[in-house]
Amino acid sequence: MTRSSKPLLALGIALLLVLGFFVAVQDSSARPTWRIGLEAPLTGDQSTLGQGMLEGAQLAAAQANAAGGVLGKDIEIVPIDDQANPDKGVAAVNAAIESHLDGIVGPYNSSVGVKTLPIYLQHALIPIRLTSAASTSGYGYTVQPMESQIAPVATKALSGWMKAKSVAIVYDPTSQYTKGVAKQVRSALADEGVEITMFKEIAPGKASYVNVINEALATSPDALYAAVYMPEGAKMAKALVTAGSTTNCLMDYASYDAGFVTAAGHPAAEHCSVLGVPAPQDFADDTNQVEAFQAKFGHVPGTWSPYTYDSVNLLLDAARQAKGFSDVALRPILATTHNWHGWTGVVNIDLVSGDRTPATVVVTQTRGGELRLDHSWAVAAGVLPRTIHVEANLASQGTNLHEVDPSISYGTNLLTGVSSGSAETETGVQVTMQGNVLYHYGTGPLFGFITFTFPDGSTLATQMTGRAKKNLFDQSTAFHAALVVIGGTGTFQAANGTGTFTGGRDGKIGSPVNATFTISLRGQN
């Protein structure tokens, strides 16, 4: 090597070192991402609702990223502003897809969804939608209630809780959802013998609906039902109070928006009940999510923040199982979702429609400046959390036991019994216990399943995990086990909760067991 080549060599080495350092820095700071679109009305009349949706999605992404991301990649939420307008939604969706998306949550408005949902599917993206119209059923999957689930709640609230014998209905005909739900409620009320005094279309976007409300009141209804979005719902509530009317008022699910109270004003908002879902603070076991939301954004969650939070997490959980966001791999996982737990409670997905069952529809009232669960409705509808107490003497219907040596035995025991009931306990409940045991001198783990069949035919299924302890002096055995509700039928369809089993027997395995069960159900929400 010549003297003149040495400086060139040194320069080359230096450049390589600098380049290597630069690449190393780039590699350590940049992580690949999955891009998840969030379609919502982020601007316009429904922007308060849309921004709450976006923040719910962003919270889910931030928590996923803090936990290491999904399959080695961070989650990036890509806002897609459809402005609650189908044409603008199509343009925004096409632009977002052009920039690349791996997944999609949304939209919210059904009239937008009938246009944008097919676009996602054409590009092999499976939407976790928040639409409620029947016309969007089957386009992806949802944790949101559908119109076929909302209409029965509206009907029972009007005819049962409000005891209305006549109802005036006004609705927005430009929306797939409001048009569909209004027709379903009208039909269901008529089937119950309720007179429909008016069934009138309204034009959205008016400055005032005083004339519409006065026309409705002129038919002398016991209640007014308005299937309209915000801000029309707030304007109608204000017109009703301005008219000095005391007629019962039920605003449809479409008006369930954090901005309803502010837009209507407290007197009007307090007069009208609003169909909706439990407030973010009203869901069971929601403390951690509410606190995390407030810590990140500095304010309380929006109306639909919990639903986009759950939608993103449901999609991410499915992607983890599918090893990516391939629509072919995701579809069977999402379609068979069962007993998935989120902020909004337990989620089960109907295999055919992709809809959530059962739905989380409630009646809300304005309380403390917010729309919160109406407890008088909840008591009447039987959706509040409930504690069940059952006491029964269980008789063995057959055992299958084996001994490894004189000290160790294992096997199964089927026990059944019917509760006698008292002022504090349920009467006539059939209890079926399928117990599995592994005993060392009569003491050891106890596990299995217990089914409770109620007089109306409804069933409640629980999984049992506990322990048996034998008293070697008097040969009695005490039982204690934790119960987890795994589902049910009838009244207890998709129930969730926890409980305990305590009991005892005086003789050997196969002898009758005196059993006490306490189960805390979390209610509809």
Side-chain angles (χ1 to χ4, degrees):
M1 181 179 294
T2 66
R3 288 174 57 116
S4 62
S5 65
K6 288 182 180 180
L8 292 175
L9 177 61
L11 179 61
I13 292 172
L15 287 172
L16 286 172
L17 288 173
V18 170
L19 181 60
F21 175 76
F22 177 75
V23 171
V25 169
Q26 289 292 93
D27 287 344
S28 65
S29 62
R31 292 178 59 176
T33 61
W34 299 109
R35 289 169 54 84
I36 308 300
L38 187 283
E39 184 190 342
L42 301 176
T43 60
D45 287 341
Q46 297 179 30
S47 60
T48 300
L49 178 152
Q51 290 297 326
M53 290 174 61
L54 177 60
E55 289 172 340
Q58 290 172 334
L59 177 62
Q63 291 178 345
N65 293 341
V70 174
L71 304 174
K73 294 185 180 183
D74 278 346
I75 304 303
E76 177 188 354
I77 299 299
V78 180
I80 304 172
D81 183 13
D82 61 29
Q83 300 178 54
N85 180 293
D87 294 334
K88 292 179 179 178
V90 168
V93 166
N94 283 327
I97 291 175
E98 182 68 23
S99 69
H100 177 69
L101 294 175
D102 295 295
I104 182 67
V105 169
Y108 169 77
N109 297 88
S110 296
S111 57
V112 177
V114 294
K115 298 290 187 180
T116 63
L117 288 170
I119 298 175
Y120 294 124
L121 293 172
Q122 288 166 12
H123 288 82
L125 294 168
I126 299 181
I128 309 299
R129 54 185 166 79
L130 276 82
T131 56
S132 294
S135 55
T136 64
S137 186
Y139 288 91
Y141 303 90
T142 188
V143 299
Q144 177 94 328
M146 298 296 290
E147 71 179 48
S148 60
Q149 299 166 318
I150 296 166
V153 179
T155 301
K156 292 299 182 184
L158 290 162
S159 64
W161 179 54
M162 291 184 175
K163 299 184 179 356
K165 301 298 182 186
S166 58
V167 175
I169 299 175
V170 297
Y171 68 98
D172 177 356
T174 67
S175 162
Q176 293 280 333
Y177 165 70
T178 51
K179 181 169 58 176
V181 77
K183 291 179 179 178
Q184 287 193 39
V185 171
R186 177 182 65 174
S187 177
L189 287 172
D191 289 344
E192 293 193 8
V194 176
E195 178 189 0
I196 306 302
T197 63
M198 185 174 83
F199 189 74
K200 182 178 179 64
E201 297 180 358
I202 64 99
K206 298 289 186 182
S208 170
Y209 291 92
V210 170
N211 291 339
V212 172
I213 293 302
N214 286 339
E215 184 181 348
L217 293 176
T219 66
S220 302
D222 293 332
L224 170 73
Y225 171 63
V228 297
Y229 282 95
M230 269 285 294
E232 285 76 25
K235 293 175 182 177
M236 290 185 183
K238 185 181 292 186
L240 193 64
V241 171
T242 300
S245 174
T246 58
T247 300
N248 282 326
C249 168
L250 180 64
M251 291 294 164
D252 182 72
Y253 191 84
S255 287
Y256 184 67
D257 185 309
F260 175 81
V261 178
T262 302
H266 281 260
E270 289 170 0
H271 178 73
C272 288
S273 299
V274 182
L275 280 174
V277 293
Q281 304 92 326
D282 285 338
F283 287 106
D285 302 331
D286 68 351
T287 304
N288 292 338
Q289 290 91 329
V290 172
E291 290 179 353
F293 189 99
Q294 290 176 315
K296 182 171 178 61
F297 299 107
H299 55 82
V300 298
T303 302
W304 300 110
S305 300
Y307 283 83
T308 49
Y309 176 90
D310 277 0
S311 296
V312 170
N313 278 318
L314 181 67
L315 179 60
L316 298 186
D317 282 352
R320 291 184 183 99
Q321 296 178 60
K323 306 301 182 185
F325 286 84
S326 161
D327 61 329
V328 175
L330 281 174
R331 193 175 296 279
I333 295 170
L334 289 167
T336 55
T337 298
H338 177 71
N339 211 30
W340 185 89
H341 288 255
W343 187 346
T344 63
V346 176
V347 175
N348 299 288
I349 299 296
D350 181 82
L351 184 63
V352 176
S353 67
D355 300 338
R356 178 181 186 166
T357 58
T360 55
V361 186
V362 299
V363 173
T364 68
Q365 64 174 161
T366 299
R367 196 167 72 242
E370 297 177 313
L371 289 171
R372 302 294 296 271
L373 176 69
D374 189 311
H375 283 275
S376 65
W377 169 83
V379 170
V383 299
L384 285 177
R386 172 184 175 189
T387 299
I388 295 174
H389 298 284
V390 175
E391 294 180 356
N393 290 318
L394 306 181
S396 177
Q397 304 303 313
T399 61
N400 184 13
L401 300 174
H402 305 275
E403 289 188 352
V404 175
D405 62 42
S407 67
I408 298 177
S409 58
Y410 68 94
T412 63
N413 189 9
L414 176 65
L415 302 102
T416 62
V418 179
S419 64
S420 56
S422 67
E424 293 80 26
T425 62
E426 302 281 341
T427 302
V429 178
Q430 174 75 41
V431 181
T432 303
M433 177 187 291
Q434 297 170 292
N436 301 276
V437 299
L438 175 58
Y439 290 160
H440 182 234
Y441 289 114
T443 295
L446 169 72
F447 51 97
F449 301 91
I450 305 171
T451 303
F452 302 88
T453 303
F454 290 76
D456 68 351
S458 298
T459 62
L460 184 63
T462 65
Q463 185 172 8
M464 166 182 65
T465 306
R467 190 169 181 80
K469 186 174 183 179
K470 186 174 183 178
N471 187 319
L472 297 179
F473 293 99
D474 63 10
Q475 302 302 302
S476 65
T477 301
F479 303 99
H480 183 83
L483 305 179
V484 175
V485 176
I486 58 176
T489 63
T491 303
F492 304 106
Q493 181 182 7
N496 65 99
T498 58
T500 59
F501 154 54
T502 57
R505 67 163 183 257
D506 294 331
K508 62 181 182 179
I509 296 178
S511 301
V513 173
N514 184 13
T516 299
F517 306 94
T518 301
I519 304 170
S520 296
L521 299 177
R522 293 175 183 164
Q524 183 174 344
N525 60 345

